[in-house]
């Protein structure tokens, strides 16, 4: 039913979808991912798992930033950071891969990978939000600056195009 509603072209249904269903969907997704991550972590973690998580996280962060270099030209630090952190949030696949490989790797390694991905999924959205806020602030500044640059010239143009009141129309 919900899948059919998402493809409906009726405007009233679309408004109901935006107001009601998306809110419910957002919370259901949060519960799903919280449970999937929570159930993949073991109840007892040792120091070795935390050390491996730190190593995996330290190795993964520069690799995630490299992804940002596929950003469109011109390359700016904000474009690279935005793309890298947006892609860096997608760690759900890593949980599936680790879960499938648990019988082939040591428990401390699997736990370290899960912890590193979990930390990445918590930190990356914060970096992304800070980058987007910085971009928005810069864009607002540029818009205000452009508005002030064009304001006086538009007033001069509008006054020069007005007809002279001293001439009579014949």
């Amino acid at each position: 039913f919900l899948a059919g509603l998402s493809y409906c072209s009726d405007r009233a249904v679309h408004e109901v979808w935006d107001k009601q269903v998306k809110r419910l969907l957002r919370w259901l997704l949060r519960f799903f991912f919280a449970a999937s991550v929570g159930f993949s972590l073991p109840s007892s973690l040792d120091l070795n798992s935390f050390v491996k998580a730190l190593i995996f996280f330290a190795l993964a962060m520069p690799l995630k930033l490299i992804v940002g270099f596929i950003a469109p030209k011109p390359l700016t630090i904000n474009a690279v950071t935005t793309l890298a952190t947006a892609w860096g949030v997608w760690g759900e696949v890593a949980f599936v891969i680790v879960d499938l490989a648990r019988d082939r790797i040591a428990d401390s390694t699997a736990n370290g990978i899960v912890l590193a991905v979990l930390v990445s999924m918590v930190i990356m959205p914060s970096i992304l939000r800070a980058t987007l806020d910085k971009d928005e602030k810069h864009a607002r500044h540029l818009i205000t600056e452009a508005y002030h640059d064009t304001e006086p010239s538009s007033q001069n143009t509008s006054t020069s195009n007005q007809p002279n009141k001293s001439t009579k129309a014949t």
Side-chain angles (χ1 to χ4, degrees), residues 71-92:
K73 305 292 186 254
L75 280 178
T76 63
I77 191 67
N78 284 343
V80 170
T81 308
T82 300
L83 188 63
T85 54
W87 279 62
V89 173
W90 295 95
E92 294 88 6

Side-chain angles (χ1 to χ4, degrees), residues 17-80:
W17 175 266
D18 281 345
K19 290 181 183 174
Q20 301 299 325
V21 178
K22 281 191 177 179
R23 187 175 6 175
L24 175 66
L25 181 67
R26 195 175 314 128
W27 277 101
L28 289 175
L29 284 173
R30 287 177 183 168
F31 285 133
F32 173 76
F33 285 116
S36 65
V37 171
F39 292 139
S40 67
L41 283 174
S43 59
S44 61
L45 294 172
D46 57 349
L47 181 63
N48 194 17
S49 297
F50 285 108
V51 170
K52 287 185 179 183
L54 182 65
I55 292 169
F56 290 138
F57 184 74
L59 290 174
M61 293 310 290
L63 295 175
K64 288 183 179 192
L65 288 175
I66 289 173
V67 171
F69 286 102
I70 64 172
K73 305 292 186 254
L75 280 178
T76 63
I77 191 67
N78 284 343
V80 170

Side-chain angles (χ1 to χ4, degrees), residues 79 102 126 137 143 145:
R102 279 210 185 259
S126 301
K137 184 179 177 182
I143 290 170
E145 191 175 275

Side-chain angles (χ1 to χ4, degrees), residues 38-162:
F39 292 139
S40 67
L41 283 174
S43 59
S44 61
L45 294 172
D46 57 349
L47 181 63
N48 194 17
S49 297
F50 285 108
V51 170
K52 287 185 179 183
L54 182 65
I55 292 169
F56 290 138
F57 184 74
L59 290 174
M61 293 310 290
L63 295 175
K64 288 183 179 192
L65 288 175
I66 289 173
V67 171
F69 286 102
I70 64 172
K73 305 292 186 254
L75 280 178
T76 63
I77 191 67
N78 284 343
V80 170
T81 308
T82 300
L83 188 63
T85 54
W87 279 62
V89 173
W90 295 95
E92 294 88 6
V93 175
F95 291 121
V96 174
I97 293 171
V98 168
D99 194 40
L100 292 173
R102 279 210 185 259
D103 58 339
R104 293 184 180 96
I105 58 177
D107 283 342
S108 62
T109 303
N111 296 341
I113 293 170
V114 169
L115 283 173
V117 171
L118 186 61
V119 168
S120 172
M121 290 176 67
V122 170
I123 289 176
M124 287 297 200
S126 301
I127 297 171
L128 178 61
R129 171 57 40 208
T131 303
L132 292 176
D133 287 344
K134 182 180 175 186
D135 282 347
E136 180 184 10
K137 184 179 177 182
H138 181 68
R140 286 182 189 268
H141 173 73
L142 290 177
I143 290 170
T144 304
E145 191 175 275
Y147 177 75
H148 290 304
D149 287 347
T150 58
E151 188 176 16
S153 64
S154 65
Q155 288 176 352
N156 292 339
T157 306
S158 63
T159 57
S160 64
N161 289 337
Q162 292 177 354

Side-chain angles (χ1 to χ4, degrees), residues 1 4 53:
F1 174 73

